[in-house]
Amino acid sequence: MNRNRPPGFFIQLFKWYCKESLTESILGDLEEQFEEDLQHHRVFTAKRRFVWNVIRFFRKGIIKPIYDAQKLNTYGMLKHDIKLALRGFKRFKTSFAINLIGLSSGLACTLLIYLWVKDEWKKDKFHENEDRLYQVMHNIEVTNKIETIKPTPALLGQALLDEFPAVEKMVSVVPAGSYGANGIVQHEEKQLKALEQYATAGYFDVFSFPLKIGNKKDVLTSKDNVVISEELSKKLVGEGIDPRGKSIIWHKDGKTHTYVVTGVFAALPANTSEKFDLIFTLDTFLDQHPHIRDWKNSDPSTFLLLSKNTEVSQFNTQIKKFMHAKQAGIKSTLFLQKYSDTYLFGKYENGVPLAGRMRYVKLFSVIAALVLFIACINFMNLSTARASRRLKEIGVKKAMGVNRRSLVFQFFTETFLLSLLSVSVAFILVIIFLGPFNELTGKEILLRLNQELVLFSLTIMSITTLLAGGYPALYLSGFEPIAILKGKLAASSIGDLWARKGLVIVQYCASAILITSVWVVASQIKFIQNKNLGFEKEEVIYFNADGRLGEQSEIFIEDVRKLPGIMNAGAFGHDLLGGMGKTTGLNWEGKNPEVNVRFGNLEVGYGLIETFGMEIAMGRPFSREFGDNNSEIVLNEKAIEIIGIEDPIGKSIQLWGRNREIIGVVKNFHFESLHEEIKPCFFQIGEDLSSIVVRIAPGSDFKTIERIEKLYRQYNPALTFNFQFFEQEYYALYKSEQQIASLSTYFAGIAIIISCLGLFGLVAFTAERKQKEIGIRKVLGASVLKLIFLLSNDFIKTVLAAIIISLPISYWLVKLWLEAFVYRIELSIWFFAGSGFIVLLIALITMGAQTVKSATIKPVNSLKDE
């Protein structure tokens, strides 16, 4: 298949609708335009433009006449069909309302999910050389397992550039937030919090972040250089003022440095996964952390811009063992991942790439299709159920010579009009709910009426028309005129009834699956929130050691401990929940040199272990009273298990070649999400700790936090006191799951409402059709309960069948989702029985009002109604 050819389907579509006399010339022009687009754009863009041109030419004067001139006038017939459709909408208001509400709700869900998927899919794809931009990934063998990480040695990028001609450019980056949160940037008397990033000189040459002021080739050539954001420039030096040449002072971790502004970058695009306020040179970072200038240490991320036509798989083979020759003992391997794929496909398990966020894109795409399909089922069911009302119309038309194609066109016209109305209502719903949707998903999606959105809307409207109108059009147009006019045609055959029952089963089966899934997801999230992590996360706040706090953190912590309502306080570096450094530099007597073990490295201050309420299994935590410093170490139980030391207290192990005395062992705790099993880690006394953590007494939150803020301002009077509850930080690990749970709940609710609307319509129609039968039965003494059972019996059986079919599908789906968690709930039969009961109850409530109303009508009214 040639990817550089126009889409074959749309070529055939154009030939199908275009007049034969015009086809060759116009199609030739379209193909020439496609070739020209290929020279200036990507293949995808060129194909998209070709599709848009094919759709654009679908207009009067170009399309073939649908009917022969000897038969019906096309325009007149279309006008007639539209008039009939509008009359039908007015006459059968209930069916019209049900279909409009169902289709517009389904289309609104589809449009919202399309906007979300489009935003996810476009993440990091705005870079000019996106198709050649790759990130170097690092596979490390640890304890019979492969761990894939992004950090690489700082020396790697330049070495790859020097030794491989396929590498056109490279950049090494220490991503924002890698070493704690915000620092303080100061210009004259102004001080602001900001998030920094470190990069080599070619940063703006490799990445297409817009540089408003400065030359991208030389803004990061000196250790004294800094490039700041446009927003930061406005706040520091004023709007409209060129900040180049001005000095700023950077405060972080108790250190202060002065830099010269050499450039200003514009606001970062909304579809970037990177967030930062200023960029320093990588050499600045390496001077502050000289141990990183070593092949054994990994910290910066390495990005490569490959030459055109480079075979990536072959290049991966070449660099796989590249580091083995650089340093003895290195066994890790390298490979490339396309940078724009990292956001969606950035998760690995044992060296094998997983879908990552892409699984959510697929999940919601399926949900969108499912909701829309359920809405289309309503239309099919109600259209075929009400066929008896159109039998005479169809019979008369066929007797007058109208062919089946004309009738099909008429019914498709009705469906298209309804779809058009539904799309219009759907856009109104999207405009109304886009704000709450953005708040729920944490995005900034805007509804822009561009070519892509119009094309998607037309496509989805066409699919809806074909899906919803296909079966009714073929069904209604297939009746024989003689049978219709003689009255020998039954309003509903057994086959038709089973077809409708089958569609109802599909609807309620989908609803049952969605309810089960939402219930299981909510239960897993509740389990996560209540799981004993091995430390106390409640009533704990933390904040950055900003400004003077970084220089006098120990004094500040002692002052905090004296405040009323404070239970304890301490400090830590990096991030306690998975963001700490990891190392294979821990050695002990009897260690197998062939086996690598990565230990979590938690740099803490005195009192941190006690502040989090971690249980001591053996020994003691760090204490200033014992004179503990960076010669002591505390490990978790998992680390002791791997090391294999009996009675470890007082024994020594080596960390980066230095002896460390084991003074304590803490019980295992979860320092990563519950997606991961508990891993070995150790604590050491750290310097330049970036965060301060405080445990406050229950019930005294507000007043105690006010006291902490007052003390904070004594150290940093010009800065805002920003704090977070540690519990919120823990929940943020499961942000994606929480969003999935919330969105799934809403979409499941909409799917159920649409299903109920359809069932309500079918019950109402059935009751109307059986009105005389109900009257006769009441005259003969039938009770209201018997009549209710008569009306609802078949529907209850149908819903029960849907529930039974949904059980194995639900089980397979939720089991598959739960397997992503190492620690998870046990699947109980009550999840499935409960969701089945909910679906049945909803169906009974939906049928209840209508069946009771029909069963209690006076027999005289039923019998005299014609």
Side-chain angles (χ1 to χ4, degrees):
M1 177 176 159
N2 189 350
R3 293 179 69 250
N4 295 334
R5 288 285 301 154
F9 172 80
F10 286 93
I11 291 176
Q12 295 303 319
L13 177 66
F14 179 80
K15 289 179 179 178
W16 174 75
Y17 76 70
C18 184
K19 292 178 179 178
E20 291 181 5
S21 59
L22 300 175
T23 300
E24 186 175 349
S25 60
I26 296 178
L27 187 57
D29 291 341
L30 290 177
E31 288 178 339
E32 284 182 16
Q33 182 62 46
F34 178 78
E35 294 296 331
E36 186 178 334
D37 287 339
L38 276 179
Q39 296 175 11
H40 300 92
H41 304 283
R42 292 184 298 167
V43 175
F44 174 79
T45 305
K47 288 186 177 182
R48 188 188 67 194
R49 292 190 175 201
F50 183 86
V51 171
W52 173 248
N53 286 330
V54 168
I55 294 172
R56 195 162 54 86
F57 274 107
F58 189 81
R59 58 176 183 260
K60 189 178 179 182
I62 293 178
I63 60 174
K64 296 174 183 176
I66 298 175
Y67 301 99
D68 294 337
Q70 296 176 352
K71 295 182 180 179
L72 296 175
N73 175 268
T74 304
Y75 175 74
M77 188 65 182
L78 181 62
K79 186 177 179 181
H80 173 72
D81 290 344
I82 292 172
K83 190 178 291 185
L84 281 178
L86 294 176
R87 285 176 180 173
F89 295 161
K90 187 176 180 181
R91 184 181 177 189
F92 305 116
K93 295 184 180 68
T94 302
S95 297
F96 171 69
I98 288 172
N99 285 327
L100 181 64
I101 293 170
L103 281 177
S104 59
S105 300
L107 286 166
C109 289
T110 305
L111 283 169
L112 284 171
I113 291 175
Y114 163 75
L115 294 172
W116 182 83
V117 168
K118 181 183 171 186
D119 185 80
E120 291 282 289
W121 192 259
K122 287 196 168 183
K123 214 72 163 178
D124 295 324
K125 286 185 169 63
F126 63 91
H127 297 288
E128 183 180 349
N129 297 307
E130 173 264 333
D131 58 328
R132 297 189 288 130
L133 182 56
Y134 289 83
Q135 181 167 9
V136 182
M137 305 295 285
H138 200 177
N139 272 341
I140 302 176
E141 292 185 20
V142 289
T143 55
N144 301 320
K145 186 179 178 182
I146 297 174
E147 189 171 337
T148 303
I149 62 173
K150 294 179 182 179
T152 55
L155 306 173
L156 178 64
Q158 189 60 46
L160 291 173
L161 181 65
D162 292 340
E163 299 184 34
F164 291 92
V167 180
E168 189 175 301
K169 297 174 184 176
M170 79 84 197
V171 62
S172 294
V173 181
V174 176
S178 297
Y179 277 75
N182 296 336
I184 305 297
V185 60
Q186 178 181 348
H187 174 66
E188 296 176 349
E189 298 302 317
K190 291 182 180 177
Q191 290 186 351
L192 297 169
K193 294 182 179 181
L195 190 61
E196 89 280 16
Q197 189 161 268
Y198 301 87
T200 49
Y203 185 80
F204 289 99
D205 210 21
V206 172
F207 293 100
S208 301
F209 293 114
L211 195 62
K212 293 200 72 172
I213 299 175
N215 187 326
K216 62 183 181 181
K217 294 186 182 296
D218 58 23
V219 289
L220 290 172
T221 53
S222 171
K223 295 179 184 179
D224 297 328
N225 295 167
V226 63
V227 184
I228 63 176
S229 69
E230 186 178 13
E231 184 180 0
L232 192 59
S233 176
K234 288 177 183 178
K235 292 177 180 178
L236 283 177
V237 301
E239 191 168 359
I241 300 174
D242 188 343
R244 282 181 296 183
K246 297 187 182 296
S247 295
I248 66 165
I249 302 172
W250 178 248
H251 307 270
K252 189 166 185 181
D253 298 338
K255 298 175 182 176
T256 300
H257 299 277
T258 301
Y259 299 92
V260 176
V261 178
T262 54
V264 175
F265 58 88
L268 300 177
N271 59 332
T272 179
S273 58
E274 304 290 337
K275 302 293 179 185
F276 53 90
D277 300 304
L278 65 171
I279 304 180
F280 301 104
T281 65
L282 183 65
D283 285 337
T284 300
F285 175 81
L286 296 177
D287 285 349
Q288 297 170 10
H289 305 85
H291 63 281
I292 301 297
R293 297 182 189 269
D294 189 295
W295 282 102
K296 282 191 173 181
N297 290 318
S298 297
D299 221 312
S301 296
T302 301
F303 302 92
L304 305 179
L305 185 64
L306 299 183
S307 303
K308 292 180 180 179
N309 303 319
T310 299
E311 184 60 49
V312 178
S313 58
Q314 185 179 348
F315 188 79
N316 276 336
T317 303
Q318 294 172 352
I319 67 168
K320 183 176 181 180
K321 298 182 179 181
F322 178 73
M323 295 200 304
H324 293 196
K326 299 297 179 181
Q327 179 84 42
I330 292 181
K331 297 177 182 177
S332 55
T333 57
L334 305 175
F335 69 95
L336 299 186
Q337 181 179 46
K338 196 173 181 182
Y339 173 66
S340 58
D341 289 344
T342 305
Y343 179 76
L344 289 177
F345 301 93
K347 192 172 182 181
Y348 289 80
E349 185 174 316
N350 204 25
V352 178
L354 301 178
R357 287 189 66 86
M358 189 61 193
R359 62 178 177 159
Y360 297 136
V361 171
K362 292 178 180 177
L363 172 65
F364 281 114
S365 298
V366 170
I367 288 176
L370 198 60
V371 171
L372 188 60
F373 181 61
I374 288 173
C376 291
I377 285 175
N378 280 354
F379 185 91
M380 287 188 274
N381 267 341
L382 291 176
S383 296
T384 53
R386 295 187 180 276
S388 59
R389 291 183 169 181
R390 310 198 66 172
L391 293 180
K392 287 185 179 180
E393 174 196 343
I394 295 164
V396 170
K397 283 191 172 185
K398 282 201 165 190
M400 293 178 66
V402 176
N403 58 29
R404 187 175 185 183
R405 188 175 69 173
S406 300
L407 287 171
V408 169
F409 184 77
Q410 175 192 338
F411 297 132
F412 268 123
T413 301
E414 292 180 12
T415 310
F416 180 79
L417 280 176
L418 185 60
S419 297
L420 187 62
L421 283 170
S422 299
V423 166
S424 303
V425 175
F427 268 101
I428 295 171
L429 292 173
V430 169
I431 291 168
I432 293 171
F433 291 106
L434 189 57
F437 183 77
N438 279 335
E439 191 174 334
L440 187 64
T441 58
K443 290 187 176 291
E444 299 175 4
I445 299 172
L446 298 175
L447 184 65
R448 292 191 176 95
L449 198 62
N450 53 27
Q451 181 177 314
E452 285 184 16
L453 184 60
V454 171
L455 182 61
F456 176 79
S457 301
L458 289 173
T459 303
I460 207 70
M461 191 167 66
S462 302
I463 291 171
T464 303
T465 302
L466 291 171
L467 190 63
Y471 176 67
L474 295 173
Y475 171 75
L476 293 172
S477 64
F479 294 146
E480 291 297 328
I482 295 175
I484 296 172
L485 296 176
K486 286 185 176 182
K488 294 181 178 180
L489 188 68
S492 295
S493 67
I494 293 175
D496 301 328
L497 289 172
W498 275 110
R500 285 199 293 277
K501 285 181 179 180
L503 293 173
V504 172
I505 286 173
V506 171
Q507 279 187 313
Y508 277 87
C509 180
S511 299
I513 291 169
L514 286 170
I515 289 174
T516 305
S517 302
V518 168
W519 193 351
V520 170
V521 170
S523 299
Q524 175 65 15
I525 290 175
K526 185 178 180 181
F527 170 78
I528 288 168
Q529 292 173 340
N530 297 326
K531 178 81 169 67
N532 181 6
L533 302 178
F535 66 91
E536 301 294 334
K537 63 182 184 296
E538 295 82 9
E539 307 295 341
V540 174
I541 66 169
Y542 74 99
F543 47 91
N544 295 338
D546 302 321
R548 286 181 56 207
L549 258 64
E551 301 167 11
Q552 302 176 356
S553 60
E554 291 189 12
I555 299 172
F556 176 82
I557 288 170
E558 288 300 323
D559 290 341
V560 167
R561 286 173 179 158
K562 296 174 185 176
L563 295 175
I566 300 296
M567 298 182 69
N568 214 327
F572 64 86
H574 295 306
D575 183 353
L576 190 66
L577 293 174
M580 77 290 293
K582 292 184 180 178
T583 181
T584 57
L586 206 65
N587 291 289
W588 58 90
E589 187 178 347
K591 179 185 177 184
N592 184 350
E594 299 299 318
V595 177
N596 277 327
V597 182
R598 292 190 85 215
F599 291 81
N601 173 17
L602 294 117
E603 297 186 356
V604 302
Y606 300 107
L608 189 281
I609 292 175
E610 298 92 320
T611 301
F612 274 112
M614 296 176 181
E615 291 188 54
I616 301 295
M618 287 181 276
R620 60 176 177 79
F622 298 110
S623 172
R624 190 178 284 106
E625 295 177 5
F626 288 89
D628 294 335
N629 52 38
N630 56 12
S631 297
E632 287 77 30
I633 195 168
V634 175
L635 299 98
N636 70 344
E637 290 177 317
K638 184 69 175 179
I640 294 297
E641 178 188 330
I642 288 174
I643 293 171
I645 303 178
E646 295 184 7
D647 300 323
I649 305 303
K651 294 183 179 177
S652 292
I653 57 175
Q654 285 191 334
L655 176 61
W656 303 317
R658 290 182 54 192
N659 285 331
R660 300 291 183 103
E661 181 188 352
I662 301 173
I663 62 169
V665 177
V666 298
K667 289 190 175 181
N668 285 334
F669 65 98
H670 293 274
F671 58 89
E672 293 179 308
S673 77
L674 298 186
H675 290 287
E676 309 288 341
E677 62 183 8
I678 292 177
K679 295 173 183 172
C681 71
F682 62 84
F683 296 85
Q684 63 170 325
I685 293 293
E687 299 178 359
D688 305 328
L689 302 176
S690 59
S691 299
I692 292 173
V693 58
V694 180
R695 170 175 291 282
I696 55 184
S700 62
D701 297 14
F702 183 72
K703 291 181 180 179
T704 304
I705 291 171
E706 277 188 338
R707 296 187 190 106
I708 297 170
E709 181 178 4
K710 186 176 179 181
L711 181 62
Y712 175 92
R713 289 191 177 280
Q714 292 178 17
Y715 286 78
N716 293 316
L719 297 179
T720 305
F721 177 63
N722 296 323
F723 70 93
Q724 282 184 287
F725 281 94
F726 194 82
E727 194 170 11
Q728 294 174 344
E729 179 78 1
Y730 171 70
Y731 294 153
L733 290 175
Y734 310 98
K735 184 178 179 181
S736 295
E737 284 79 8
Q738 290 170 339
Q739 288 177 349
I740 295 305
S742 300
L743 288 172
S744 298
T745 302
Y746 288 121
F747 291 136
I750 291 168
I752 292 165
I753 290 169
I754 293 172
S755 298
C756 290
L757 283 172
L759 185 61
F760 177 84
L762 286 175
V763 172
F765 173 74
T766 302
E768 183 182 328
R769 192 161 53 84
K770 292 187 175 183
Q771 195 169 340
K772 278 192 176 180
E773 180 185 346
I774 293 168
I776 292 169
R777 285 178 180 272
K778 288 198 78 171
V779 169
L780 294 173
S783 66
V784 172
L785 284 176
K786 282 187 177 180
L787 292 172
I788 290 173
F789 181 76
L790 169 71
L791 291 171
S792 59
N793 181 38
D794 282 348
F795 291 112
I796 291 173
K797 289 178 182 177
T798 304
V799 173
L800 285 172
I803 293 168
I804 293 169
I805 293 170
S806 73
L807 293 177
I809 302 172
S810 300
Y811 177 78
W812 176 74
L813 286 174
V814 296
K815 187 173 182 295
L816 189 67
W817 183 77
L818 284 173
E819 283 175 356
F821 294 88
V822 174
Y823 304 91
R824 53 182 178 261
I825 59 172
E826 292 294 328
L827 283 176
S828 165
I829 192 172
W830 295 111
F831 286 120
F832 308 99
S835 62
F837 175 76
I838 291 170
V839 168
L840 184 60
L841 183 63
I842 291 171
L844 288 171
I845 292 171
T846 302
M847 292 184 287
Q850 188 61 45
T851 52
V852 170
K853 178 183 175 183
S854 301
T856 54
I857 195 169
K858 292 181 179 179
V860 65
N861 295 333
S862 300
L863 295 173
K864 74 179 182 180
D865 182 50
E866 291 293 337

